[in-house]
């Protein structure tokens, strides 16, 4: 690992807890109806996330160009390169490590789906990005989503599939792996224990309650995860600032979900 990679990773995990609280505003083509929901106003969504003082934010290169200058220095910037829909209707790699360098980013994120007939292409996205990033000392954060095609194309979080996603990540040489939490503590702990690079959890589908999102984050941290990157459970919450305080309490202070809610005044 080069000095540049070590320095940038240290900035991502700079909190004294050693964990990472990230905000994701990188849903792009997978979001659906852009006139509804928490991302209908993209500048507003980013502003709401930044009020929560995340350690890093992952966004698309175009969004960074237009919206990030006012937030420079307030959190680490992670450029999202992966652009896909689960059914492969859209499947493009839209940024390179060089693009991340030019943007002043601390990492390149590459979101990929796995399983299905096109899996090999996505693994090539990841390995090519890792090899190219090494020339710049740019860490690669893999966002890996297993699919099930039994009834259409759906993202799944079963223990076997999440273990497979983690394996794809570290055998591709990435520096950080973001995967969904399985809901099964023992299986997730084993997946994290046998993974030689830091694992953070994806915020996942919006939960019915903030307590539910915090509980799964707390469980993942107890299982060995090094943090969480949260999207719709942050910018989709009625009070993102309080939600962020609660997530920071779980991730950085080791609070239980209930205590984190109390701290946030929710």
């Amino acid at each position: 690992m080069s000095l540049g990679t070590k320095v940038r990773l240290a900035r991502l995990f700079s909190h004294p807890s050693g964990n990472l609280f990230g905000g994701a505003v990188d849903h792009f083509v997978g979001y659906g109806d852009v006139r509804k929901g928490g991302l209908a106003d993209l500048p507003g969504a980013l502003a709401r996330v930044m009020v929560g003082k995340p350690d890093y934010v992952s966004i698309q290169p175009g969004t960074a160009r237009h919206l990030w200058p006012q937030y420079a220095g307030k959190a680490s910037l992670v450029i999202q390169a992966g652009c896909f829909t689960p059914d492969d209707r859209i499947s493009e790699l839209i940024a390179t490590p060089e693009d991340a360098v030019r943007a002043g980013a601390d990492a390149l994120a590459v979101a990929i789906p796995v399983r299905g007939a096109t899996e090999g292409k996505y693994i090539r996205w990841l390995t090519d990005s890792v090899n190219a990033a090494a020339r710049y000392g740019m860490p690669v954060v893999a966002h890996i989503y297993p699919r099930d095609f039994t009834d259409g194309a759906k993202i799944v979080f079963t223990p076997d599939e999440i273990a497979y996603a983690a394996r794809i990540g570290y055998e591709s040489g990435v520096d950080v792996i973001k995967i969904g939490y399985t809901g099964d503590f023992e299986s997730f702990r084993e997946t994290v224990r046998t993974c030689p690079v830091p694992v953070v959890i994806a915020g996942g589908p919006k939960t019915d309650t903030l307590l539910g999102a915090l509980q799964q984050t707390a469980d993942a941290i107890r299982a060995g995860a090094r943090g969480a990157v949260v999207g719709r459970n942050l910018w989709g919450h009625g009070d993102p600032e309080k939600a962020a305080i609660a997530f920071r309490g779980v991730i950085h202070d080791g609070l239980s979900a209930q205590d984190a809610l109390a701290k946030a005044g929710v």
Side-chain angles (χ1 to χ4, degrees), residues 87-136:
D87 62 0
D88 290 327
R89 178 179 60 86
I90 296 172
S91 172
E92 302 291 342
L93 194 61
I94 62 171
T96 67
E98 185 177 355
D99 294 327
V101 171
R102 284 199 299 264
D106 283 324
L108 180 77
V110 182
I112 67 165
V114 292
R115 300 300 194 189
T118 56
E119 178 181 53
K121 177 182 71 173
Y122 291 114
I123 293 173
R124 173 60 67 180
W125 279 12
L126 205 49
T127 55
D128 284 353
S129 296
V130 167
N131 291 333
R135 296 195 292 271
Y136 299 98

Side-chain angles (χ1 to χ4, degrees), residues 130-247:
V130 167
N131 291 333
R135 296 195 292 271
Y136 299 98
M138 178 63 64
V140 174
V141 182
H143 299 191
I144 307 180
Y145 301 94
R147 296 178 290 185
D148 180 270
F149 293 91
T150 304
D151 181 20
K154 298 178 181 177
I155 303 298
V156 294
F157 301 95
T158 62
D160 286 351
E161 293 302 324
I162 291 301
Y164 180 73
R167 177 65 62 89
I168 291 293
Y170 76 73
E171 290 204 20
S172 297
V174 305
D175 301 287
V176 181
I177 298 170
K178 187 181 94 164
I179 49 178
Y181 181 59
T182 62
D184 180 82
F185 180 82
E186 291 299 333
S187 70
F188 193 79
R189 180 167 64 176
E190 183 64 11
T191 293
V192 174
R193 185 188 70 79
T194 56
C195 184
V197 300
V199 170
V200 300
I201 67 163
K206 190 175 188 303
T207 54
D208 293 334
T209 65
L210 180 57
L211 178 62
L214 293 169
Q215 187 60 61
Q216 70 177 16
T217 302
D219 289 345
I221 297 291
R222 286 195 303 114
R226 293 280 303 277
V229 181
V230 188
R232 52 181 56 86
N233 284 311
L234 191 58
W235 44 255
H237 191 268
D239 191 329
E241 185 173 6
K242 288 186 177 180
I245 291 171
F247 275 108

Side-chain angles (χ1 to χ4, degrees), residues 9-128:
L9 279 174
R11 287 200 286 258
L12 297 184
F13 291 92
S14 62
H15 192 275
S17 69
N19 291 336
L20 179 154
F21 168 43
V25 193
D26 60 0
H27 297 66
F28 201 18
V29 296
Y31 183 65
D33 189 343
V34 299
R35 297 179 63 199
K36 297 179 181 178
L39 290 183
D41 173 7
L42 189 59
L46 180 56
R48 290 192 296 275
V49 168
M50 291 304 295
V51 166
K53 299 178 181 178
D55 303 316
Y56 91 43
V57 173
S58 58
I59 52 179
Q60 264 78 22
T63 306
R65 188 175 302 117
H66 292 301
L67 301 180
W68 191 253
Q70 64 182 305
Y71 302 113
K74 297 180 181 179
S76 286
L77 171 64
V78 177
I79 294 294
Q80 176 60 263
C83 177
F84 72 88
T85 54
D87 62 0
D88 290 327
R89 178 179 60 86
I90 296 172
S91 172
E92 302 291 342
L93 194 61
I94 62 171
T96 67
E98 185 177 355
D99 294 327
V101 171
R102 284 199 299 264
D106 283 324
L108 180 77
V110 182
I112 67 165
V114 292
R115 300 300 194 189
T118 56
E119 178 181 53
K121 177 182 71 173
Y122 291 114
I123 293 173
R124 173 60 67 180
W125 279 12
L126 205 49
T127 55
D128 284 353

